[in-house]
């Protein structure tokens, strides 16, 4: 059950669960409430539906959402210290100067 037995009350007392309002949850994950609503509708963030109209968020679900969005930026190829691979060309085509191709087209029209 996860509670604590309180002999004075003679029953199990569950620790109070902290629930965040949509405004508090939005602030916690650094988005506006409209974005939070969209994230909820799309299933990107977990929530607690108290009633059909009263929605709350657990702090750990907000933290989980943030952790799930952590990305490492890919290394920029132009600044990478890795050496570039050298390979031989597999093209069977012949390299032709632009002016030679232009001259060939002109002579073909004549």
């Amino acid at each position: 059950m996860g509670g604590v037995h309180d002999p004075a009350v003679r029953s199990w007392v569950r620790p109070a669960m902290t629930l965040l309002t949509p405004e508090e949850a939005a602030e916690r994950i650094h988005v506006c409430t409209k974005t939070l609503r969209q994230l909820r509708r799309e299933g990107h963030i977990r929530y607690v539906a108290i009633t059909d109209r009263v929605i709350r968020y657990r702090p750990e679900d907000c933290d989980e959402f943030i952790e799930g969005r952590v990305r490492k930026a890919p290394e920029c190829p132009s600044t990478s210290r890795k050496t570039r691979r050298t390979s031989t060309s597999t093209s069977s085509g012949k390299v032709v100067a632009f002016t030679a191709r232009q001259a060939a087209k002109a002579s073909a029209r004549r």
Side-chain angles (χ1 to χ4, degrees):
M1 223 181 217
V4 178
H5 183 68
D6 185 353
V9 179
R10 294 184 183 209
S11 65
W12 284 89
V13 178
R14 294 189 75 180
M17 180 185 287
T18 302
L19 295 175
L20 305 173
T21 65
E23 292 77 18
E24 292 168 332
E27 186 177 325
R28 187 177 183 113
I29 64 171
H30 303 283
V31 297
C32 67
T33 54
K34 184 177 179 181
T35 302
L36 180 65
R37 253 190 327 272
Q38 183 178 355
L39 291 169
R40 185 186 76 231
R41 272 189 253 121
E42 293 173 356
H44 295 294
I45 189 166
R46 296 175 64 179
Y47 64 95
V48 178
I50 305 298
T51 67
D52 288 342
R53 297 184 66 164
V54 178
I55 303 295
R56 296 292 183 262
Y57 299 87
R58 296 184 306 180
E60 57 268 21
D61 291 334
C62 294
D63 297 342
E64 182 181 310
F65 170 79
I66 293 169
E67 286 300 315
R69 295 294 187 262
V70 173
R71 303 284 188 266
K72 180 181 176 190
E75 196 171 306
C76 179
S78 65
T79 59
S80 173
R81 293 187 183 264
K82 294 179 184 177
T83 57
R84 293 186 180 197
R85 294 183 199 170
T86 57
S87 64
T88 58
S89 174
T90 59
S91 173
S92 60
K94 182 172 124 179
V95 177
V96 179
F98 177 76
T99 53
R101 181 161 172 103
Q102 193 175 23
K105 280 185 178 181
S107 66
R109 283 187 233 159
R110 292 180 190 167

